[in-house]
């Protein structure tokens, strides 16, 4: 019995030391990245809101990764690039990004090697024309053949989350370019999010326009747009009113 107890104690000690050793060798608890266990919601797949930002001083300094040096931009105005996008998910979820924020695989964020942190960029999947605006708050991907690493939600919206990578076009979005007068149509409002999300999906397919859901006081308002020109907006509004949405109206934002 004494020999058996000693054997059990020794085995447990070895397992404990092994667990501690494996946990100390990496910043992350997962060895390989993986997709989340659920799909992003409609709210989570909305574009990042472009705002005034204070650039991270520490993330603006030149740095070296895997023997290669990078010099971050000080101003993203006019930036445009084409290349391969990848995505990152559960392995990095909840850990700090390069500018100190917390990575959320369901938020519209991205990693880039040299764009200022934070900054905003429009990413368009050149294969299907789908686009998204993301907040760049991390560094990477450190592969010569990739230009940006998107959150899982952003990759899902662009339609390449099952493929791993996609050819994309990147265009910087600054507050000056984002605050021009834009036209939306408020189509409907309700207290049940699932109903508003289902309607948003239907209208996106029918009118080939983006949708935006705004929550205020437990009410979800569905906006269709932005729509670039007033004649187009008037035409869409007319069709909506003919198709049961009598209370739809134009909404202008700055």
């Amino acid at each position: 019995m004494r020999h058996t107890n000693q054997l059990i104690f020794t085995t447990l000690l070895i397992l404990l030391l092994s667990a501690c050793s494996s946990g100390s060798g990496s910043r992350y608890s997962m060895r390989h990245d993986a997709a989340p266990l659920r799909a992003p919601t409609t709210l989570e797949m909305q574009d990042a809101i472009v705002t005034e930002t204070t650039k991270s001083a520490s993330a603006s300094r030149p740095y070296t990764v895997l023997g290669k040096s990078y010099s971050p931009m000080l101003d993203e105005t006019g930036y445009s690039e084409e290349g391969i996008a990848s995505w990152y998910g559960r392995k990095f979820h909840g850990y700090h990004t390069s500018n100190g924020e917390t990575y959320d695989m369901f938020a519209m964020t991205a990693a880039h090697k040299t764009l200022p942190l934070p900054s905003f960029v429009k990413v368009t999947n050149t294969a299907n024309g789908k686009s998204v605006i993301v907040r760049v708050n991390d560094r990477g991907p450190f592969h010569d053949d990739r230009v940006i690493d998107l959150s899982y939600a952003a990759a899902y919206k662009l339609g390449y989350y099952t493929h791993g990578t996609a050819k994309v076009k990147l265009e910087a979005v600054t507050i000056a370019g984002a605050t021009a007068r834009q036209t939306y149509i408020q189509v409907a409002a309700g207290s049940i999010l699932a109903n508003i999300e289902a309607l948003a999906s239907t209208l996106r397919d029918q009118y080939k326009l983006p949708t935006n859901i705004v929550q205020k006081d437990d009410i979800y308002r569905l906006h269709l747009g932005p729509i670039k020109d007033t004649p187009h907006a008037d035409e869409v509004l007319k069709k909506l009113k003919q198709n049961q949405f009598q209370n739809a109206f134009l909404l202008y934002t700055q």
Side-chain angles (χ1 to χ4, degrees):
M1 176 66 72
R2 181 179 179 183
H3 176 72
T4 301
N5 290 339
Q6 186 176 9
L7 179 61
I8 293 173
F9 174 78
T10 302
T11 302
L12 290 173
L13 182 61
I14 291 173
L15 290 173
L16 178 61
L17 291 174
S18 175
C20 291
S21 174
S22 62
S24 63
S26 174
R27 172 189 174 194
Y28 308 104
S29 59
M30 293 177 64
R31 185 175 181 182
H32 300 291
D33 199 6
L37 301 179
R38 66 170 177 85
T41 65
T42 300
L43 282 176
E44 289 168 335
M45 286 191 290
Q46 293 186 159
D47 288 350
I49 299 174
V50 182
T51 60
E52 289 280 6
T53 61
T54 300
K55 307 303 185 188
S56 169
S58 60
S60 298
R61 302 189 186 105
Y63 65 98
T64 301
V65 173
L66 300 176
K68 188 170 182 178
S69 297
Y70 301 91
S71 297
M73 307 174 201
L74 297 179
D75 183 6
E76 69 274 25
T77 304
Y79 162 82
S80 180
E81 185 178 5
E82 292 192 17
I84 301 298
S86 50
W87 61 264
Y88 59 136
R90 286 170 57 194
K91 177 179 178 179
F92 306 92
H93 184 75
Y95 290 89
H96 285 149
T97 64
S98 297
N99 70 337
E101 298 177 7
T102 300
Y103 174 64
D104 182 353
M105 60 185 167
F106 293 113
M108 284 299 169
T109 61
H112 191 276
K113 293 184 278 286
T114 57
L115 277 169
L117 302 185
S119 57
F120 297 89
V121 64
K122 179 181 178 181
V123 186
T124 303
N125 185 338
T126 59
N128 57 23
K130 294 181 178 180
S131 64
V132 63
I133 295 176
V134 294
R135 176 184 172 92
V136 181
N137 66 351
D138 206 359
R139 288 292 177 226
F142 298 108
H143 299 268
D144 291 338
D145 63 337
R146 299 178 191 175
V147 297
I148 197 166
D149 221 358
L150 299 182
S151 67
Y152 180 79
Y156 193 100
K157 185 172 183 177
L158 292 185
Y160 76 90
Y161 62 99
T162 58
H163 307 295
T165 61
K167 179 72 178 299
V168 297
K169 179 180 181 181
L170 309 182
E171 300 168 278
V173 181
T174 60
I175 190 68
T179 54
R181 190 172 181 85
Q182 294 182 314
T183 304
Y184 293 82
I185 297 175
Q186 179 163 313
V187 181
S191 59
I192 302 177
L193 177 59
N195 292 345
I196 297 297
E197 288 181 331
L199 179 58
S201 178
T202 299
L203 293 181
R204 275 199 306 273
D205 292 339
Q206 183 176 353
Y207 291 95
K208 308 303 179 186
L209 288 169
T211 57
N212 186 45
I213 300 174
V214 178
Q215 179 184 7
K216 185 178 180 181
D217 300 328
D218 297 325
I219 297 296
Y220 300 94
R221 293 170 173 81
L222 174 59
H223 296 166
L224 191 63
I227 304 173
K228 293 183 178 180
D229 58 87
T230 302
H232 186 199
D234 290 337
E235 180 185 350
V236 173
L237 179 61
K238 182 179 179 180
K239 290 180 179 179
L240 285 167
K241 286 182 173 293
Q242 291 173 346
N243 293 329
Q244 84 187 49
F245 299 104
Q246 296 296 325
N247 295 322
F249 60 89
L250 294 178
L251 182 67
Y252 299 100
T253 64
Q254 294 292 333

